[in-house]
Amino acid sequence: MTTLKVLCLNCSLKQQPEPSETEALARKVLRSFQQEGLDTEILRLSDYTILPGTKSNMGLGDQWPEILDKIRACHILIIATPIWMGHSASYVQRIFERLDDIFYNPDLVDRSSGRYFTYNKVGAALVTGNEDGAHEAVRHILWGLQEFGFSIPPNSNSYWVGVAGGQINYTEGGGEHHEYTNKNNAYLVMNSIHLARVLQEQPFTTDFKTIEREAKKNGN
Amino acid sequence: MTTLKVLCLNCSLKQQPEPSETEALARKVLRSFQQEGLDTEILRLSDYTILPGTKSNMGLGDQWPEILDKIRACHILIIATPIWMGHSASYVQRIFERLDDIFYNPDLVDRSSGRYFTYNKVGAALVTGNEDGAHEAVRHILWGLQEFGFSIPPNSNSYWVGVAGGQINYTEGGGEHHEYTNKNNAYLVMNSIHLARVLQEQPFTTDFKTIEREAKKNGN
Amino acid sequence: MTTLKVLCLNCSLKQQPEPSETEALARKVLRSFQQEGLDTEILRLSDYTILPGTKSNMGLGDQWPEILDKIRACHILIIATPIWMGHSASYVQRIFERLDDIFYNPDLVDRSSGRYFTYNKVGAALVTGNEDGAHEAVRHILWGLQEFGFSIPPNSNSYWVGVAGGQINYTEGGGEHHEYTNKNNAYLVMNSIHLARVLQEQPFTTDFKTIEREAKKNGN
Amino acid sequence: MTTLKVLCLNCSLKQQPEPSETEALARKVLRSFQQEGLDTEILRLSDYTILPGTKSNMGLGDQWPEILDKIRACHILIIATPIWMGHSASYVQRIFERLDDIFYNPDLVDRSSGRYFTYNKVGAALVTGNEDGAHEAVRHILWGLQEFGFSIPPNSNSYWVGVAGGQINYTEGGGEHHEYTNKNNAYLVMNSIHLARVLQEQPFTTDFKTIEREAKKNGN
C-alpha cells in the first residue's frame, strides 16, 4: 500500500525564525498523521516568493512551481491560516489565484479525460486567531479546494480562537490542551485518512472531455 | 446493491403553484440522477411549516420532523437556493439552525460511536439567480453540510446567474442550454454518485466517543 | 431639534418569554442611546409572523408591514443577531428578502427623486454567540444595509463571542462587563448618533431618476 | 473649501503595462469625480512591493509606507478589485493586514483622542470579473473599511460581472455602457462626495481614550 503524504501550507504572515501560532496547531495535527503512518511536510509560504498572477509559472524568481510540485505529490492537502480582520490571510487567496490555471492548463489535467490533477486528493483546513473569524476562513478554504477538485471529508477543519477582542494566541491561550480543538483535530485526521485511502482504491473516473462535449452539443 | 436516494431541498421563497427557477434547475439535475438509476425526491420548503429554533422538533405545527426523516433516509442531499441580495435564501440558514441539534441530541447520532447520522452521506449545492451571488451561496451551503457530517465531492455545485444587475431568470435566460451550467451539473451528478457508492462500501467508522474521551483526558 | 429614534430588530430564534442573549446586549446598547436623549424601541422578530417572499406585503397574516412602518419611522436601525453555525440567524436574511421590494415599489422611494426611503438613516449591527462568527454576521448585516440605502458610520458594530467551541453565553460569560465589547458599544452609539444628526441637517439629495435617465441614455 | 482627494487602490494582479479591466472601470469612475471638481489618483498595487506583515513598515524594500501616506492624505478611498475564484484579489486582504497596525500604533491615531486617522474619510468599492463574486468582494472591502474607521455612504459600490462561467471581461463585455453598472457608478460618486463634504464640515469627534477608560473601569 502507498504511504499517504500530507502537505500542509502554512499561510502565516510571519517570517522564519519567528514562531507561528498556526504552525504550532499544524505541527500538532501532523504528529497525529505521523502516528497513523503517513508522511507529512509543512511549508511556510512566507519562506517562498510567490508572485502575483494566475498562471502556474509567473517567471523569474517565482517559487510557486516548487509548491505546485508538492501539491501534485500529496494525497491530503491542508491549508492552515491565521485570522486577520476576521478573514483568512492573504496567502490563502494567493494560493487560489495560482491554482486558477487548473481550468486552462493542459499540464494540470489528465491527458485522456481532462480531469484536474487534484481529483482523488483530500482537502482540509486549520485556523488560529486571537478571536473571531475561523468559520469564515474555513469556508473560504474548503470551498476553494472543492472547486479545484479536492474531496472534502466531514468535519474537515479545526481551529482555535479566543474570546471577542482577545489578545492571546493559541499557545499562550492553552490551545494545545483545548478539548474542543483537539476533538476537531482528531476528526480531521481520521476522516481525511479514511477518504484518501478509499479514493486511492476507488478513484473518481469522471470524464471531463465527454461531459464538455455533451454540454457543448446541447448548448446555446 | 441499494438503490441510492437523492433528496433535494428547494429553498425558493415562492409558494406552489408559482413556478420556481431553482426548481427548474434542480429538476434537470434530478433527471440526470434518475438516468443513472437513482431514486430522487424534491421538496419545496415553502410548502412546509418550519418553525424557528434549533431543536429537531419545535412543537405544535412544526413540519421539520418530516423533512428530517427524509434527510435521514437519503444518500445524497442537495440544497438548492435562489439568490436574494447576493446571498442564499433564508431557508438555507433555517435548515442549518434546525440541524444544529445534531451536536446535542443522542437520537441523531450512532448509539455506540456517537457519530452523526449524516456520516457517509454526500452533500451538494445548486443555485440560481438573476445575477451575482452563487459562489457565496455555495460556500454557505457546502461549509454547513461538511460541518454537519456530510462528505463533499469535488465540483459539488452548479449554478446559473446572469450579468450584473440582470433581471432575467434561469429559464428565460436560456440556463437550461447554458454550456457552463450543464457541465457543472454533470460533474455534480457523476461525482456525488461515485462518492456515495464508495462510502456505502467503505464507510467512515470514526469513533466520536473515543475521540471525545481522549480530548477530555488531555484537556485543560 | 427632532428627537432621533433608534429601532433594534432582534433576530433571536427564541420566543418570548424565553430570555434572549442578543436582547441583553441590545438593551444595554439602547440604554446608552437613551442616556444621549434618543427614543429607542426593540422588536423580537420571533414575536411576529413574517411571511417568506420579497414584497412589502405578502398577504393574509403577514406582520412585516408593521415592522416596515417602524423602519420608516426610525433614524438609526440596528440589526441584532445571534450566531448559529458561524452565521447570522435566518431572520437577518428574511429581513433583507422583505426589503428587496425597495428596488421595485414606488411607495418605498421618494416620489420626485426615486431615492430609497432609507436614505439619511443610519445602520448598525450587534451580534452575540457562544463562539466564532461575529465578523461574518456583521459583514452580512452592514453590507445589506448599505445596499438598501442606509449610511454606515465607522465602527458601527459590536459583539460578544466566547472561545472556540464555547458553550457559554453573553450574560453567563460576563459579556456585560467585557471591556472590548463595551468599548465597541460606545463607538457604535456615539458614531451612529453623530452621523444621524449630520444627515438630518445635511441630507443626501441624490437624484435617482436623473441618474437612471443618464445611464439609460448611455446604455447599450 | 478644500479640494477633496479621491484615492483608488487597484488590486489587479496584472503588472503594468498589461491593461487591467478593473482599472478601466475605476478610471471611468474617477473621471466622474474629476467632473465634480475632485482630485483623483489611482495606484496599481502590483507596481509596489508590499511586504507581508501587520506593521506600517515591514522594513527594507517595503513600499507600503508610500501607499499609507497617500491614504492619510485622501478624503475618499476606493478599493477596486478583480474577482478570482469568487473572491476579492489577495491584494485586498494584504491592504487590510497592513492597516491592522491602526489598532496599536500611536502614529496612526489622533494624539489627544486616540481616534483612528481614518475617521471622517469615506470608503467605497469597485469590482470587475468575468462572472459571479462581486457582492462577496464588496462585503469584504466595505466591512474592512468600516472596521478601520471609514464611513460608508449608501450604495457605496459598483461592479460589472458577466453570466455564469463567463469568459468575457468588462471592456469586451460592453461594461462601459452597461446601464446597471453606470447607475451604480453615479450613486457611488454622488454619495461619496456628499458624505465626505459633510464630514469635513461636521467631523466625528469620538473620544476613544475616554471610551476606553470607561470600558476599563466597568470591565471584569
Side-chain angles (χ1 to χ4, degrees):
Chain A
M1 204 169 69
T2 320
T3 300
L4 296 179
K5 289 198 184 74
V6 184
L7 175 66
C8 179
L9 301 180
N10 177 7
C11 295
S12 173
L13 302 180
K14 299 206 183 101
Q15 308 269 319
Q16 304 268 19
E18 202 183 344
S20 148
E21 293 291 330
T22 304
E23 198 154 311
L25 172 59
R27 288 201 180 277
K28 190 174 169 71
V29 168
L30 292 184
R31 278 194 299 276
S32 298
F33 276 110
Q34 289 157 14
Q35 281 159 14
E36 300 291 328
L38 282 77
D39 279 348
T40 70
E41 182 171 15
I42 183 165
L43 306 181
R44 207 190 280 198
L45 295 190
S46 61
D47 287 344
Y48 293 79
T49 298
I50 307 173
L51 295 179
T54 60
K55 296 295 158 204
S56 296
N57 192 328
M58 293 302 296
L60 196 67
D62 186 18
Q63 294 182 294
W64 175 253
E66 287 176 49
I67 298 169
L68 184 57
D69 281 348
K70 288 176 189 286
I71 296 175
R72 295 183 87 135
C74 82
H75 301 90
I76 297 171
L77 177 66
I78 301 173
I79 297 185
T81 185
I83 296 167
W84 290 104
M85 292 299 292
H87 196 273
S88 58
S90 51
Y91 280 121
V92 174
Q93 181 60 14
R94 182 65 57 96
I95 293 171
F96 289 171
E97 289 161 358
R98 297 306 303 273
L99 282 173
D100 192 80
D101 204 24
I102 210 170
F103 304 128
Y104 306 101
N105 186 340
D107 292 343
L108 299 179
V109 303
D110 179 61
R111 284 300 161 115
S112 65
S113 69
R115 205 164 43 240
Y116 309 150
F117 79 87
T118 48
Y119 265 60
N120 304 308
K121 297 184 193 295
V122 164
L126 290 172
V127 187
T128 60
N130 299 332
E131 63 134 4
D132 198 90
H135 291 94
E136 171 60 12
V138 172
R139 258 191 293 261
H140 187 200
I141 292 169
L142 295 185
W143 177 83
L145 290 175
Q146 166 269 152
E147 198 76 1
F148 283 124
F150 292 84
S151 294
I152 312 297
N155 303 113
S156 187
N157 72 89
S158 188
Y159 62 95
W160 186 89
V161 290
V163 76
Q167 301 289 339
I168 298 171
N169 289 320
Y170 170 72
T171 316
E172 205 186 342
E176 296 185 307
H177 299 282
H178 193 58
E179 193 179 321
Y180 177 81
T181 303
N182 287 344
K183 230 167 50 177
N184 283 295
N185 288 348
Y187 300 150
L188 184 158
V189 169
M190 300 315 286
N191 292 345
S192 300
I193 294 175
H194 179 75
L195 190 55
R197 284 205 177 123
V198 160
L199 292 178
Q200 285 299 298
E201 292 172 32
Q202 300 191 64
F204 288 101
T205 56
T206 319
D207 188 331
F208 277 44
K209 289 192 176 165
T210 302
I211 285 173
E212 281 178 35
R213 205 160 39 234
E214 282 298 306
K216 203 180 287 289
K217 215 172 65 191
N218 301 321
N220 46 9
Chain B
M1 206 169 67
T2 320
T3 299
L4 296 179
K5 288 198 186 74
V6 184
L7 175 67
C8 179
L9 301 180
N10 177 7
C11 295
S12 172
L13 303 180
K14 300 208 182 97
Q15 308 268 318
Q16 304 267 21
E18 202 182 345
S20 148
E21 294 289 331
T22 304
E23 198 154 312
L25 172 59
R27 288 200 181 278
K28 190 174 168 69
V29 168
L30 293 185
R31 277 194 300 275
S32 298
F33 276 111
Q34 289 158 15
Q35 281 159 15
E36 301 291 328
L38 282 77
D39 279 349
T40 71
E41 181 171 17
I42 183 165
L43 306 182
R44 207 189 281 197
L45 296 189
S46 61
D47 287 344
Y48 293 79
T49 298
I50 306 173
L51 294 179
T54 60
K55 297 295 157 204
S56 295
N57 192 329
M58 293 301 296
L60 195 68
D62 187 17
Q63 293 181 295
W64 174 254
E66 288 176 48
I67 298 170
L68 184 56
D69 281 349
K70 288 175 189 286
I71 296 176
R72 295 183 87 134
C74 82
H75 301 91
I76 298 172
L77 178 66
I78 302 172
I79 297 185
T81 185
I83 297 167
W84 290 105
M85 292 300 291
H87 197 275
S88 59
S90 51
Y91 280 121
V92 173
Q93 182 60 16
R94 183 65 58 96
I95 292 171
F96 289 171
E97 290 162 358
R98 298 305 303 272
L99 281 173
D100 192 81
D101 203 24
I102 209 170
F103 305 128
Y104 306 100
N105 186 339
D107 292 343
L108 299 179
V109 303
D110 179 62
R111 285 300 162 114
S112 65
S113 69
R115 206 164 42 240
Y116 309 150
F117 80 87
T118 48
Y119 265 59
N120 304 308
K121 297 184 193 295
V122 164
L126 289 172
V127 186
T128 60
N130 298 331
E131 63 134 4
D132 198 272
H135 291 94
E136 170 61 12
V138 171
R139 258 190 294 260
H140 186 200
I141 291 170
L142 294 185
W143 177 83
L145 289 175
Q146 166 268 151
E147 198 77 0
F148 283 124
F150 292 85
S151 294
I152 312 296
N155 304 113
S156 187
N157 72 89
S158 187
Y159 62 96
W160 186 89
V161 289
V163 75
Q167 300 289 338
I168 298 172
N169 289 320
Y170 170 71
T171 316
E172 205 186 342
E176 296 186 306
H177 299 283
H178 192 58
E179 194 179 321
Y180 178 81
T181 304
N182 288 343
K183 231 166 49 177
N184 283 295
N185 288 348
Y187 300 149
L188 183 159
V189 169
M190 299 315 287
N191 292 345
S192 300
I193 293 175
H194 179 75
L195 190 55
R197 283 205 178 123
V198 161
L199 293 178
Q200 285 299 299
E201 292 173 31
Q202 301 192 64
F204 289 100
T205 56
T206 321
D207 188 332
F208 277 44
K209 289 192 176 164
T210 303
I211 285 173
E212 280 177 35
R213 204 159 41 232
E214 282 299 306
K216 203 181 287 288
K217 214 172 65 191
N218 301 321
N220 45 10
Chain C
M1 205 169 69
T2 321
T3 299
L4 296 178
K5 289 198 186 74
V6 185
L7 175 66
C8 179
L9 301 180
N10 177 7
C11 295
S12 172
L13 303 180
K14 299 206 183 97
Q15 309 268 320
Q16 304 267 22
E18 202 183 343
S20 147
E21 294 291 331
T22 305
E23 198 153 311
L25 172 59
R27 288 199 181 279
K28 189 175 171 68
V29 169
L30 292 185
R31 278 195 300 276
S32 297
F33 276 109
Q34 289 157 14
Q35 281 159 15
E36 300 291 327
L38 282 77
D39 279 349
T40 69
E41 182 172 16
I42 183 166
L43 307 181
R44 206 190 280 198
L45 295 190
S46 62
D47 287 344
Y48 293 79
T49 299
I50 307 172
L51 295 179
T54 60
K55 296 296 159 205
S56 294
N57 192 329
M58 293 302 296
L60 196 67
D62 186 17
Q63 293 181 293
W64 174 253
E66 287 176 49
I67 298 170
L68 184 56
D69 281 348
K70 287 174 188 287
I71 296 175
R72 295 182 88 134
C74 82
H75 301 92
I76 297 171
L77 178 66
I78 302 172
I79 298 185
T81 185
I83 297 167
W84 289 105
M85 291 300 290
H87 196 275
S88 59
S90 51
Y91 280 121
V92 174
Q93 181 62 14
R94 182 65 57 96
I95 292 171
F96 288 171
E97 289 161 358
R98 297 305 302 274
L99 281 173
D100 192 79
D101 204 23
I102 210 171
F103 304 128
Y104 307 100
N105 186 340
D107 291 343
L108 299 179
V109 304
D110 179 60
R111 285 298 160 116
S112 65
S113 69
R115 206 165 41 240
Y116 309 150
F117 80 87
T118 49
Y119 265 60
N120 304 308
K121 296 182 193 295
V122 164
L126 290 172
V127 186
T128 60
N130 299 333
E131 64 135 2
D132 197 272
H135 291 96
E136 170 62 11
V138 171
R139 257 191 294 260
H140 186 201
I141 291 169
L142 294 185
W143 176 83
L145 289 175
Q146 166 269 152
E147 198 77 0
F148 283 124
F150 292 83
S151 294
I152 312 298
N155 303 114
S156 187
N157 71 88
S158 188
Y159 62 94
W160 187 88
V161 290
V163 75
Q167 301 288 340
I168 298 172
N169 289 321
Y170 171 72
T171 316
E172 203 186 343
E176 295 185 306
H177 299 284
H178 192 58
E179 194 179 321
Y180 177 81
T181 303
N182 288 343
K183 232 168 46 178
N184 283 295
N185 288 348
Y187 299 149
L188 182 159
V189 169
M190 300 315 287
N191 293 345
S192 301
I193 293 175
H194 179 75
L195 190 55
R197 284 205 177 123
V198 161
L199 293 178
Q200 285 298 299
E201 291 172 33
Q202 303 192 64
F204 289 99
T205 56
T206 320
D207 188 331
F208 277 43
K209 288 192 176 163
T210 302
I211 285 174
E212 281 178 32
R213 207 161 37 234
E214 283 297 307
K216 203 180 286 289
K217 214 172 64 191
N218 301 320
N220 45 10
Chain D
M1 205 168 69
T2 319
T3 300
L4 296 179
K5 289 197 186 74
V6 184
L7 175 66
C8 179
L9 301 180
N10 178 7
C11 295
S12 172
L13 303 180
K14 299 207 182 98
Q15 308 269 319
Q16 304 268 21
E18 202 183 344
S20 148
E21 294 290 330
T22 305
E23 199 154 310
L25 172 60
R27 287 200 181 279
K28 190 175 170 67
V29 168
L30 293 185
R31 279 195 299 277
S32 298
F33 276 110
Q34 289 157 14
Q35 281 160 15
E36 300 292 328
L38 282 77
D39 280 349
T40 70
E41 182 172 15
I42 183 165
L43 306 182
R44 206 190 280 198
L45 295 189
S46 62
D47 287 343
Y48 294 79
T49 298
I50 307 172
L51 294 179
T54 60
K55 296 296 158 206
S56 294
N57 191 330
M58 293 301 296
L60 195 68
D62 186 16
Q63 294 181 292
W64 174 254
E66 288 177 49
I67 298 170
L68 184 57
D69 281 348
K70 288 174 188 287
I71 296 174
R72 295 182 88 134
C74 82
H75 300 92
I76 297 171
L77 178 67
I78 302 172
I79 297 185
T81 185
I83 297 168
W84 290 105
M85 292 300 291
H87 196 275
S88 59
S90 51
Y91 280 120
V92 173
Q93 181 61 14
R94 183 64 58 95
I95 292 171
F96 289 169
E97 289 161 358
R98 297 305 302 273
L99 282 173
D100 193 80
D101 204 23
I102 211 170
F103 304 128
Y104 306 100
N105 186 340
D107 291 344
L108 298 179
V109 304
D110 179 62
R111 284 299 160 116
S112 65
S113 69
R115 205 165 42 240
Y116 308 150
F117 80 87
T118 48
Y119 265 60
N120 304 308
K121 297 182 194 296
V122 164
L126 290 173
V127 186
T128 60
N130 298 331
E131 64 134 2
D132 197 271
H135 290 94
E136 170 61 12
V138 172
R139 258 190 294 261
H140 186 202
I141 292 169
L142 295 185
W143 176 82
L145 290 175
Q146 166 270 152
E147 197 79 359
F148 282 124
F150 292 84
S151 294
I152 312 297
N155 303 113
S156 187
N157 72 89
S158 189
Y159 62 94
W160 187 88
V161 289
V163 75
Q167 300 289 337
I168 298 172
N169 289 321
Y170 170 71
T171 316
E172 203 186 344
E176 295 185 306
H177 299 283
H178 192 58
E179 194 179 321
Y180 177 81
T181 302
N182 288 343
K183 232 168 47 178
N184 283 296
N185 288 348
Y187 300 149
L188 182 159
V189 170
M190 300 315 287
N191 292 345
S192 300
I193 294 174
H194 179 74
L195 190 55
R197 285 208 177 120
V198 161
L199 293 178
Q200 284 299 299
E201 292 172 33
Q202 302 192 64
F204 289 100
T205 56
T206 320
D207 188 331
F208 277 44
K209 289 193 176 163
T210 303
I211 285 174
E212 281 178 34
R213 206 161 38 234
E214 282 298 307
K216 203 180 288 287
K217 214 173 65 191
N218 301 320
N220 46 8

